[in-house]
Amino acid sequence: MSALADEPLLCREVGASPTTSRTTGDRYEDVANCMICGDGESEDDNVILFCDGCNLAVHQVCYGGGAVAIPDGPWYCDRCDPARCAGPVECCLCPEKGGALKRTTDWRWAHVVCALWVPNVSFVDPESRDAIDLFGMDEKRFALSCGLCGVQKGACIQCKERKCMRAFHVTCARKNDLHMTEKERDDWVEFSVYCDKHKPKPANKRRRKLTA
């Protein structure tokens, strides 16, 4: 959950796993999609930055600390910053390679998007999204197998539908275009995902069925 105090109630359907491209030498690009939220829109105070090491594209706000200010020279994500990274880097919550990764409090790595979607995973500093804390997460999630990639590695989330046991990695759910929504409550964000079988029907179809 993320602290978003005094925000109106909103519901946003999350886009599929984004792709990025840029012209050599560009530090940020308005038409690229953020690897965390999947959106390609930029604002003056929240542009999409590109890592000069791996070409990662992220919104300043989505990535948080390390991307708040646009640097005069090259910008490097945490994974490519030699001052922050030593040794192999892989997400402990999913098998997806690359992406927007940050350190956990126990010195592993995790995708920012995985930290946002896996229940009870949090950030020690929510505003800068630094220091991912895994200790509140139910460790039984590590025993779940992803129904999309078939791999039992990392921690899976599950379908929002009551009694549905289907499980999948956050990154697999995005790549396979599952129905994923974010609802902003008074001071937190509710993240919901549905398998293909339980994907909510469009509101207009529900109305027709009720009036038939």
Side-chain angles (χ1 to χ4, degrees), residues 140-196:
K140 292 179 181 178
R141 292 188 180 278
F142 285 117
L144 298 173
S145 295
C146 177
L148 298 171
C149 72
V151 175
Q152 184 181 333
K153 181 181 180 181
C156 289
I157 56 176
Q158 290 178 283
C159 177
K160 178 74 172 179
E161 181 69 19
R162 191 172 296 180
K163 296 184 179 180
C164 181
M165 303 299 290
R166 290 180 174 86
F168 10 76
H169 297 115
V170 174
T171 48
C172 289
R174 294 185 71 187
K175 285 193 298 185
N176 285 270
D177 295 336
L178 294 192
H179 187 82
M180 304 174 77
T181 61
E182 302 173 8
K183 280 187 179 181
E184 296 183 9
R185 303 298 186 179
D186 290 337
D187 59 354
W188 60 286
V189 179
E190 179 184 6
F191 295 89
S192 301
V193 60
Y194 294 86
C195 66
D196 285 337

